[in-house]
């Protein structure tokens, strides 16, 4: 059975046209699914019974099951969502003031295999469909609905590399962006990429003003190649040129993400080299202190050296913040999914859970994240 969430508005139009339905039905069905968040065709009361029956014969509106859930007392909620084939991905809701940010996954695992990333360590299983990507947002939208709240921002920073699942990711964003349905403005989305250069150029040509975050992680190619295997394919120069193209084409400031690994890429001379690369660009640096996970051979730098790194960038005219979140760390919530080491001992990786293990410790409160000067949370841009 097909997932209705996998269809674009145009595709829905052709299905209904081929069934001989009048054109106004297209918008009605679209609104039921994307605006009213209906999951059952029987709820779609403005449609004639025979159309509801026909839709139900041909389609489902896939609702992933919640295999595990963890919430902290400050409104961050992480779920492990079970997909139709038994695989599972993580999605996170972060409440901050009026913001309701959802962090979503685009692949089960990731083929890139960055040295510091737990998702990379689990290998690549498969791409998500457009429907599965959007369903993560709709999951939280439905949960917020009874309180009259809405999802206000979406960050594509969960499991997987979105630009290696380009078409499905873009289709999900366009469907969520469509003004007749979910209607989340393009500027409310942030796509994080490890630096898939052709994908960045292509995204620049989409005519969509989504925010772009590029994961740089090193100020020179030799080190970057060690940390990020795709650094062998595209040099920092090519990645930055793609970022510049994106900023020019969209007028949006590009965020550069930089995971700080103690003794590896957190020296002050490396901060100076990074500043030299980025100075004068429409850019911003998000520093992410490494989140330890079992099997990952790195250490988290102490808060003082994190701040010294940040100040070195700021002194040289490069806007930089340290990304942390309250309660559950965002990176523990998305993009970095295996065991959380000593800092948030209650978490277990979804990759473990997706093997069929339901860890009872899910649901326990996470360790408090430390906070400091100049810190902010997940959204790189307004
Ligand atoms: N594949 C994309 C998006 C998902 S990863 C990308 O790499 O950009 C989202 C973010 O989490 C990236 O910036 C990534 O570097 C970061 N991340 C991965 N593992 C981490 C870890 N162990 N500690 C801190 N951040 C991590
Ligand atoms: Fe994949 Fe991003 Fe993790 Fe690298 S950091 S392995 S690209 S999810």
């Amino acid at each position: 059975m097909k997932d209705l969430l996998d269809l674009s508005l145009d595709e829905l139009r052709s299905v209904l046209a081929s069934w001989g339905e009048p054109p106004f039905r297209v918008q009605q069905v679209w609104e039921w699914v994307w605006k009213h968040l209906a999951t059952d065709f029987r709820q779609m009361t403005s449609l004639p019974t025979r159309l509801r029956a026909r839709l139900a014969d041909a389609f489902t509106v896939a609702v992933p099951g919640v295999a595990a859930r963890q919430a902290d007392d400050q409104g961050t909620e992480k779920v492990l969502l079970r997909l139709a084939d038994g695989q599972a991905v993580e999605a996170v809701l972060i409440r901050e003031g009026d913001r309701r940010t959802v962090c979503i996954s685009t692949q089960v695992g990731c083929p890139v295999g960055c040295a510091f990333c737990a998702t990379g360590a689990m290998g690549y299983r498969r791409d998500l469909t457009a429907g599965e990507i959007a369903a993560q947002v709709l999951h939280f939208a439905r949960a917020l609905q009874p309180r009259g709240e809405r999802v206000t921002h979406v960050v594509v920073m969960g499991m997987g590399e979105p630009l290696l699942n380009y078409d499905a990711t873009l289709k999900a964003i366009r469907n969520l962006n469509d003004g007749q349905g979910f209607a989340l403005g393009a500027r409310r989305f942030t796509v994080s990429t490890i630096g898939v250069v052709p994908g960045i150029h292509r995204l620049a040509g989409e005519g969509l003003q989504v925010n772009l975050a590029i994961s740089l992680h090193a100020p020179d190619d030799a080190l970057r190649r060690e940390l990020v295997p795709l650094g062998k394919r595209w040099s920092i120069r090519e990645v930055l040129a793609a970022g510049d193209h994106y900023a020019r084409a969209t007028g949006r400031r590009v965020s550069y993400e930089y995971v700080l690994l103690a003794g590896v890429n957190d020296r002050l001379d490396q901060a100076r080299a990074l500043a030299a690369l980025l100075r004068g660009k429409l850019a911003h640096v998000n520093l992410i202190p490494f989140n330890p996970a079992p099997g990952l051979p790195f250490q988290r730098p102490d808060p003082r050296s994190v701040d010294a790194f940040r100040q070195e960038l700021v002194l040289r005219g490069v806007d930089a913040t340290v990304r942390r979140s309250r309660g559950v760390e965002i990176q523990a919530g998305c993009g970095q999914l295996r065991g959380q080491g000593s800092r948030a001992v209650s978490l277990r990786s979804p990759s473990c859970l997706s093997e069929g293990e339901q860890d009872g410790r899910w649901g326990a409160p996470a360790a408090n994240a430390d906070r400091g000067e100049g810190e902010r949370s997940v959204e790189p841009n307004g």
Side-chain angles (χ1 to χ4, degrees):
M1 191 107 69
K2 281 203 176 130
D3 184 357
L4 202 54
L5 299 178
D6 274 326
L7 300 191
S8 66
L9 187 54
D10 279 344
E11 288 165 343
L12 177 65
R13 195 171 284 125
S14 9
V15 169
L16 294 185
S18 74
W19 291 357
E21 292 293 336
F24 70 91
R25 293 283 180 222
V26 179
Q27 188 171 339
Q28 284 183 321
V29 174
W30 189 258
E31 284 186 5
W32 275 115
V33 173
W34 292 98
K35 188 172 181 175
H36 308 305
L37 312 179
T39 55
D40 182 339
F41 296 103
R42 285 170 302 190
Q43 293 172 290
M44 303 184 184
T45 46
S46 60
L47 306 179
T49 331
R50 60 165 172 79
L51 176 55
R52 282 185 252 164
R54 190 155 188 191
L55 283 167
D57 281 344
F59 293 101
T60 59
V61 179
V63 180
V66 178
R69 179 176 176 276
Q70 187 197 39
D72 70 11
D73 52 8
Q74 288 158 78
T76 298
E77 187 180 333
K78 175 157 75 156
V79 289
L80 182 67
L81 296 176
R82 182 78 65 204
L83 307 172
D85 66 348
Q87 297 285 355
V89 289
E90 247 189 29
V92 185
L93 170 68
I94 303 124
R95 292 179 173 87
E96 280 174 310
D98 292 337
R99 283 184 181 225
R100 300 289 177 270
T101 302
V102 174
C103 175
I104 56 172
S105 301
T106 54
Q107 297 178 315
V108 184
C110 181
V112 179
C114 299
F116 49 81
C117 176
T119 304
M122 77 185 257
Y124 166 76
R125 299 193 188 162
R126 70 168 173 86
D127 285 350
L128 299 189
T129 64
E132 288 170 330
I133 295 169
Q136 300 165 61
V137 177
L138 300 187
H139 166 83
F140 285 114
R142 289 188 193 105
L144 292 170
Q145 204 176 26
R147 292 186 227 153
E149 294 182 5
R150 288 180 49 110
V151 172
T152 63
H153 294 79
V154 169
V155 295
V156 188
M157 292 187 182
M159 300 167 83
E161 169 47 49
L163 299 187
L164 292 180
N165 185 14
Y166 189 97
D167 291 340
T169 299
L170 256 282
K171 193 178 200 180
I173 290 175
R174 286 195 186 280
N175 283 354
L176 292 163
N177 175 234
D178 181 83
Q180 295 175 45
F182 197 75
L184 188 66
R187 294 170 177 217
R188 305 294 189 90
F189 292 86
T190 299
V191 173
S192 175
T193 176
I194 197 63
V196 177
V197 166
I200 296 171
H201 288 302
R202 192 174 161 199
L203 192 62
E206 294 283 353
L208 263 182
Q209 285 211 310
V210 302
N211 301 298
L212 181 68
I214 299 179
S215 297
L216 205 58
H217 306 318
D220 63 86
D221 280 314
L223 178 59
R224 190 164 193 270
R225 282 192 288 263
E226 281 177 37
L227 300 174
V228 177
L230 273 184
K232 295 178 191 116
R233 185 110 158 248
W234 295 293
S235 66
I236 289 176
R237 217 169 57 96
E238 290 169 296
V239 170
L240 294 179
D244 289 346
H245 175 208
Y246 194 82
R248 268 198 317 277
T250 60
R252 304 301 285 164
R253 184 174 72 159
V254 172
S255 289
Y256 287 94
E257 293 168 283
Y258 194 100
V259 172
L260 282 168
L261 309 164
V264 175
N265 67 354
D266 68 338
R267 294 194 318 264
L268 293 185
D269 64 292
Q270 290 167 314
R272 290 192 279 275
L274 181 62
L277 289 175
L278 298 179
R279 196 168 20 228
K281 291 190 190 303
L282 186 59
H284 169 267
V285 176
N286 255 316
L287 298 170
I288 315 167
F290 173 67
N291 256 314
L296 298 180
F298 299 101
Q299 304 283 313
R300 185 186 182 97
D302 65 71
R304 260 187 309 171
S305 53
V306 170
D307 201 52
F309 195 96
R310 185 184 72 85
Q311 283 186 23
E312 201 67 26
L313 292 174
V314 173
L315 263 173
R316 283 169 171 70
V318 175
D319 189 18
T321 45
V322 178
R323 186 200 293 164
R324 303 240 170 94
S325 77
R326 298 184 227 105
V328 178
E329 287 218 311
I330 299 314
Q331 288 313 307
C334 38
Q336 195 254 328
L337 301 165
R338 255 173 221 270
Q340 300 304 312
S342 58
R343 301 193 69 259
V345 287
S346 63
L347 293 182
R348 280 299 295 269
S349 85
S351 51
C352 305
L353 290 165
S354 63
E355 303 292 358
E357 182 191 358
Q358 285 251 355
D359 195 304
R361 286 175 296 172
W362 272 67
N368 282 328
D370 48 350
R371 290 171 226 178
E373 279 298 296
E375 291 179 357
R376 50 178 261 162
S377 61
V378 69
E379 294 85 12
N381 287 311

